[in-house]
Amino acid sequence: MAEEDAEHQRKIEKTAITLAGDEVKRGQRYGLTIGIFAFITSIIALALGSEKTAIALGGTTVVGLVAVFVTGRIKQSLTKDNGEQDA
């Protein structure tokens, strides 16, 4: 009985880890897609002669994406470090 419970728990944990990894990958793909579209849009705006719009769109989008990903990584690192210290 205990062995069945332990096996079930391992399956649940494995599924949770797999789903968490999939979520991270999906978020990175979305971020890359947004970044590419913003870059293309800013190039088009620049080609049409709207330099300020191109700078604003390209700059804010890139800075925003970098900030989100870096902040997310920092928070994950801090959470991981705190979890290791508590153990």
Side-chain angles (χ1 to χ4, degrees), residues 31-47 50-67:
L32 178 64
T33 303
I34 291 168
I36 289 171
F37 280 131
F39 184 69
I40 291 170
T41 305
S42 64
I43 289 174
I44 292 170
L46 187 61
S50 183
E51 295 173 1
K52 291 180 181 178
T53 303
I55 291 170
L57 181 63
T60 57
T61 303
V62 171
V63 170
L65 283 172
V66 169

Side-chain angles (χ1 to χ4, degrees), residues 1-38:
M1 184 70 176
E3 291 176 6
E4 292 175 6
D5 288 342
E7 182 63 28
H8 178 70
Q9 185 64 31
R10 280 191 290 271
K11 287 181 183 178
I12 290 173
E13 290 173 359
K14 185 176 180 179
T15 302
I17 291 170
T18 302
L19 291 174
D22 291 345
E23 184 178 348
V24 169
K25 288 178 187 176
R26 186 173 48 246
Q28 289 176 343
R29 279 189 235 124
Y30 288 161
L32 178 64
T33 303
I34 291 168
I36 289 171
F37 280 131

